[in-house]
């Protein structure tokens, strides 16, 4: 089962996340198929550098049967890539 989920990076107490397509059996920060965006929770919500998503690739993977995890689904809804 393929999932759209967050993969953690950055340093201690300074997280930066990649939005990736990965098999649900792989580790959270382990192997992934494709990177389709990023998320920086430390920036204010009105900054455009907080979330960056590749819309075409995300639509492709959603059409292919991937399921977003809860936090990624919220990010996709905020960017109007998916209905709530």
């Amino acid at each position: 089962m393929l999932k759209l989920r967050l993969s953690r990076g950055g340093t201690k107490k300074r997280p930066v996340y990649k939005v990736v397509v990965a098999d649900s059996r792989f580790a959270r920060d382990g192997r992934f198929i494709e990177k389709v965006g990023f998320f920086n929770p430390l920036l204010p919500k009105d900054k455009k550098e907080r979330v960056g998503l590749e819309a075409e690739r995300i639509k492709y993977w959603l059409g292919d049967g991937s399921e977003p995890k809860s936090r990624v689904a919220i990010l996709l809804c905020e960017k109007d890539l998916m209905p709530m």
Side-chain angles (χ1 to χ4, degrees):
M1 167 75 59
L2 294 177
K3 302 275 187 185
L4 283 165
R5 65 180 179 195
L6 297 175
S7 175
R8 192 179 193 281
T11 62
K12 184 167 54 169
K13 297 185 182 180
R14 308 281 300 168
V16 177
Y17 296 94
K18 294 184 287 192
V19 181
V20 297
V21 179
D23 194 311
S24 61
R25 296 171 290 181
F26 297 157
R28 178 194 71 185
D29 300 333
R31 205 165 95 193
F32 59 88
I33 298 169
E34 182 179 357
K35 178 185 170 196
V36 292
F38 64 89
F39 172 57
N40 187 349
L42 298 178
L43 292 177
K45 288 188 177 188
D46 58 344
K47 293 266 188 182
K48 84 173 193 176
E49 296 89 19
R50 181 176 183 187
V51 179
L53 300 171
E54 296 178 20
E56 293 299 318
R57 295 304 297 165
I58 290 174
K59 289 178 184 176
Y60 168 79
W61 285 109
L62 289 174
D64 198 37
S66 303
E67 294 180 7
K69 298 292 263 182
S70 60
R71 183 63 196 166
V72 175
I74 292 169
L75 293 174
L76 295 177
C77 293
E78 288 175 0
K79 296 290 183 177
D80 297 325
L81 293 175
M82 192 176 111
M84 191 61 149

